[in-house]
Amino acid sequence: MEFLQLLLSGLANGCVYGLVALGFVLIYKATEAVNFAQGDFMMLGAFVMVGLVNPQFLGLNFWLAVPLALLVMGVFGYLLDLTVLRFMFGQSQIAVVILTISLGFVIRFVAGLIWGHEPLNLHSPLAFGDLRLGDVVISFADISVIVVTVLMTLFLWQFFQRTKLGLAMQAASQNQMAAYYMGIPVKRVQGAVWALAGVVACVAGILYASKGTLDISAGFIGIKAFAAAVIGGFGSLPGALMGGLIVGVIEPFASRYLPAGYSQIAPYALLIIVLVFRPNGLFSQVRIKKV
């Protein structure tokens, strides 16, 4: 029973990592850039939801606030690309990486100014109640995290495989200039990608805040999510989810059965092993880049 309890807890946490990792993969698949502010996107989305729902702020109904928060983060992602990232068009990937790292600091600073630095709790209907299966207890918030993450992964996988916009995003990531000559509006496509990454981050933030307290340091979850994306295979959406689940499951078992402190380094130790023996990730699909 202890094993099952640890496994369910790890899966729920891993799904949050997987959702943030999906944001990493979305940006990478469309632009071949890494957004190291993705964890801070998640944190900002969660605070936007807190601002809309909690009674000390706007106090809106939770289910009314969800689409509003998703819209806010989608617009934020699109405007960020329009006003900042678009000026990096054609620049090196390392320049974009440095920009996104700096952006993460700015987001944390602004979130602290608006919502303060004290931990807050989201007034979420997902946070009330537990499901008991014998001696195993799983919260409805954890169940919601698992279900939503699976649905989101399936939706995004189908989106990239079967929609014109998804295929245009992949074409733009293969070769921006060639995609432009083929009539694909590369800049608008990239704006749509950043908007979608903002929406996915907001979903992760809402689920994360439903599980416990929230503060501006929550954005650092992006470091574990990045490790999850690399472990799963950076260009694979299902791989990002699986990588998140692996990292999430490792943590509680390492915390329970290994000496104190080892649970913090266990995901990164696995990352090193994966990079040594399978550099493309456990679930990557190696492809030839078309030029």
Side-chain angles (χ1 to χ4, degrees):
M1 286 300 177
E2 181 187 37
F3 175 87
L4 188 56
Q5 187 72 64
L6 291 173
L7 178 62
L8 291 174
S9 174
L11 287 176
N13 290 332
C15 283
V16 175
Y17 300 153
L19 276 176
V20 181
L22 285 176
F24 278 107
V25 174
L26 278 173
I27 298 296
Y28 181 77
K29 282 178 74 70
T31 67
E32 290 198 329
V34 180
N35 176 24
F36 279 101
Q38 190 64 30
D40 296 293
F41 277 32
M42 183 215 74
M43 177 270 294
L44 181 61
F47 270 115
V48 167
M49 191 65 181
V50 167
L52 292 172
V53 171
N54 282 21
Q56 68 266 40
F57 298 109
L58 293 182
L60 298 180
N61 177 271
F62 179 86
W63 300 111
L64 175 63
V66 168
L68 291 177
L70 297 180
L71 178 62
V72 167
M73 287 304 298
V75 171
F76 171 76
Y78 183 82
L79 292 178
L80 180 65
D81 174 72
L82 182 65
T83 59
V84 178
L85 296 161
R86 195 161 293 186
F87 293 99
M88 304 298 292
F89 188 77
Q91 299 298 318
S92 65
Q93 292 182 13
I94 189 64
V96 179
V97 167
I98 294 171
L99 176 65
T100 59
I101 292 173
S102 304
L103 180 64
F105 285 99
V106 173
I107 292 174
R108 287 192 292 275
F109 175 76
V110 172
L113 284 179
I114 297 174
W115 290 283
H117 297 269
E118 295 298 320
L120 295 172
N121 289 292
L122 173 64
H123 287 231
S124 169
L126 305 178
F128 300 103
D130 299 313
L131 177 65
R132 292 184 175 272
L133 303 173
D135 293 332
V136 177
V137 179
I138 181 170
S139 69
F140 288 119
D142 286 344
I143 295 173
S144 301
V145 169
I146 294 171
V147 172
V148 171
T149 302
V150 172
L151 293 176
M152 181 70 73
T153 305
L154 292 173
F155 167 76
L156 291 173
W157 183 74
Q158 290 293 315
F159 172 78
F160 273 100
Q161 294 295 320
R162 300 186 182 276
T163 67
K164 289 183 178 180
L165 181 57
L167 294 172
M169 289 176 179
Q170 294 185 73
S173 73
Q174 289 266 319
N175 190 307
Q176 291 181 351
M177 189 60 69
Y180 177 79
Y181 284 136
M182 292 300 294
I184 295 174
V186 173
K187 291 184 178 181
R188 278 188 289 173
V189 164
Q190 291 190 356
V193 171
W194 283 92
L196 184 58
V199 170
V200 173
C202 187
V203 172
I206 293 170
L207 295 174
Y208 176 85
S210 297
K211 285 168 53 64
T213 58
L214 173 71
D215 58 45
I216 61 171
S217 66
F220 290 112
I221 197 177
I223 299 174
K224 292 181 182 178
F226 177 74
V230 175
I231 290 170
F234 215 82
S236 169
L237 291 172
L241 175 60
M242 293 304 299
L245 294 178
I246 290 170
V247 170
V249 168
I250 282 177
E251 284 186 320
F253 282 96
S255 179
R256 175 65 180 86
Y257 296 110
L258 295 179
Y262 279 78
S263 62
Q264 298 299 317
I265 66 168
Y268 308 109
L270 176 61
L271 174 62
I272 293 172
I273 295 171
V274 170
L275 288 175
V276 169
F277 293 102
R278 194 173 172 83
N280 292 314
L282 296 177
F283 305 96
S284 64
Q285 296 176 346
V286 179
R287 63 182 181 181
I288 300 173
K289 185 172 182 177
K290 301 172 185 178
V291 225

